[in-house]
Amino acid sequence: MTSIQALQCSAATMLADSSQSRHLDLDVQAVRNSQVNPKTHKASAIRRTLDAYGIDDNRKTLSKLNQDKYHVLIKSDESGVIDFNHGAYISKNLEDDYGSFRWLNPRGLQKYQTDDLAQVTLTTTNLAQLQQTYKDANVTQFLVELLYGNSREPSDKVYKEVYKENPDVFHYSAPLGTGNGFLIYPNIPYMSQTYTAGQVTDLPTRPEGIQLTAWAVHPTAPQNLIQEINGDLSIGQIPSNQKIELHQHRAELMTGVKSLTSILDLEQGDVEMLEKLKLDSFQHLVDTYGVSAEKDKISLFFHFPVAPSTATLHLHIWVNKGDHPLNESRAFGIDEVIHHLRQGETIDTLILSRNDGQFILPTKDMLHKIKGMPESKTPRPADYRELKLPIGIENR
């Protein structure tokens, strides 16, 4: 039987003299990144290898990167003081690809990264009272001014500076029958001047992403802008025997067409309307902004609760945008709403199933003081941690 010879180092790989071999015995104790096992008083073999090649052994740190829910990149000075005026880049575990970050603009960051919070726990009675509060509100004022278009002097600022400069970023989703249509356009306070310069097809790849809203337009609301968008003055024309009515409950009684003030007004019969709104929103993103459903992260959602001043149902349309956990906590996706209603459930049960009806709200918005809200209380410390991004709020 042939014996197997032990492997020997090739002469080509042998060191020329013994003095060179001394360089193989590295003093790993002197290397900054070499940590000694307290039980054996020795560094691990892997750590010694990494140190020998001058590589930081940060495996323990890297192993945690994909465990946290949020990872945040934010600007700070040399002393560590955070600058909130630049916004933040956020990567959310299980949503964003590893190493992929989305931008949260300064306005949203400063609004939601706060300790000034109030907790309310809603019941069916509260929801009925809130629905009445919203019905007694007028159509959102800045929407009304925009809908008047050029029929007033001076005309609305958004109409003059955004619509007239770049009308393609406005789209009207026509109603089914005689119901509510939806006006889709940029959420101006959160967007840049890009919209007035006509440079919108690169927005999906820009840090700011895309942020639109689709506002319900009742038949009794002003129709001037709708007619201009469609290029047909007969479209959206209010009948001669019907006047403009901005009070939403009176408009509903006058026409028999439901006013849409919040998701509380949505019922099973509205599923087809919501599906059309979703389809039209997607098509507008594709046609105007070059958005790809395969490549881009698209989010369509309603907020609840909302302030009476914005109590006209509106869908948020976001593409490649970062969000804050406090804002997400009161966001209801359009797919979630459609699925729930299609199952024959009411919106009340959907809202009350969200954290058992508990909502934590920024006190600055005064949502906890709306007529119909229950008495608020201070959230628990655990709730604060859950609804804040892992950045140093104390440094602001």
Side-chain angles (χ1 to χ4, degrees), residues 104-238:
L104 172 61
N105 60 50
R107 181 168 177 157
L109 177 62
Q110 293 170 350
K111 177 179 180 179
Y112 294 115
Q113 189 72 1
T114 177
D115 284 326
D116 297 326
L117 302 173
Q119 175 193 314
V120 295
T121 302
L122 302 175
T123 65
T124 53
T125 299
N126 297 130
L127 295 180
Q129 294 169 338
L130 287 170
Q131 185 176 29
Q132 188 59 51
T133 296
Y134 295 147
K135 289 288 189 183
D136 286 336
N138 284 347
V139 178
T140 302
Q141 184 61 31
F142 59 76
L143 174 63
V144 171
E145 296 303 320
L146 176 60
L147 288 171
Y148 273 115
N150 63 354
S151 66
R152 285 185 169 182
E153 290 293 341
S155 59
D156 177 67
K157 185 177 181 180
V158 173
Y159 173 81
K160 289 190 302 183
E161 298 181 4
V162 184
Y163 175 75
K164 296 303 289 184
E165 293 294 327
N166 197 359
D168 288 343
V169 300
F170 287 70
H171 176 74
Y172 182 59
S173 173
L176 292 170
T178 58
N180 289 261
F182 286 86
L183 177 63
I184 304 173
Y185 70 101
N187 193 348
I188 305 301
Y190 289 86
M191 302 310 299
S192 73
Q193 295 300 314
T194 303
Y195 283 97
T196 61
Q199 302 169 347
V200 298
T201 55
D202 64 341
L203 279 173
T205 61
R206 290 172 62 88
E208 63 186 306
I210 299 171
Q211 188 168 347
L212 316 177
T213 44
W215 292 85
V217 180
H218 192 270
T220 58
Q223 303 289 311
N224 306 76
L225 179 64
I226 306 304
Q227 295 167 10
E228 188 171 351
I229 289 174
N230 286 284
D232 184 350
L233 295 182
S234 66
I235 296 177
Q237 185 73 45
I238 296 178

Side-chain angles (χ1 to χ4, degrees), residues 195-320:
Y195 283 97
T196 61
Q199 302 169 347
V200 298
T201 55
D202 64 341
L203 279 173
T205 61
R206 290 172 62 88
E208 63 186 306
I210 299 171
Q211 188 168 347
L212 316 177
T213 44
W215 292 85
V217 180
H218 192 270
T220 58
Q223 303 289 311
N224 306 76
L225 179 64
I226 306 304
Q227 295 167 10
E228 188 171 351
I229 289 174
N230 286 284
D232 184 350
L233 295 182
S234 66
I235 296 177
Q237 185 73 45
I238 296 178
S240 57
N241 62 343
Q242 180 179 304
K243 65 175 183 178
I244 290 175
E245 177 56 71
L246 301 181
H247 187 275
Q248 301 197 75
H249 188 212
R250 288 199 296 267
E252 188 172 275
L253 294 175
M254 177 191 304
T255 61
V257 176
K258 180 170 58 176
S259 61
L260 297 175
T261 62
S262 75
I263 61 172
L264 290 172
D265 294 321
L266 296 175
E267 303 168 306
Q268 189 173 10
D270 296 314
V271 166
E272 190 176 356
M273 175 194 73
L274 293 172
E275 289 177 332
K276 181 179 185 299
L277 174 59
K278 175 185 173 181
L279 180 62
D280 288 353
S281 298
F282 271 117
Q283 196 62 52
H284 179 58
L285 290 173
V286 172
D287 294 344
T288 305
Y289 299 93
V291 170
S292 167
E294 291 76 24
K295 297 179 181 179
D296 298 306
K297 292 188 179 296
I298 303 170
S299 180
L300 308 179
F301 62 91
F302 301 99
H303 276 143
F304 186 85
V306 296
S309 60
T310 57
T312 302
L313 183 68
H314 54 282
L315 177 73
H316 293 270
I317 304 168
W318 287 14
V319 180
N320 298 339

Side-chain angles (χ1 to χ4, degrees), residues 67-87:
Q67 295 176 5
D68 296 331
K69 188 173 183 179
Y70 292 94
H71 306 291
V72 182
L73 298 176
I74 192 166
K75 185 176 181 180
S76 62
D77 61 21
E78 293 181 355
S79 63
V81 176
I82 292 173
D83 187 349
F84 279 62
N85 294 318
H86 292 266

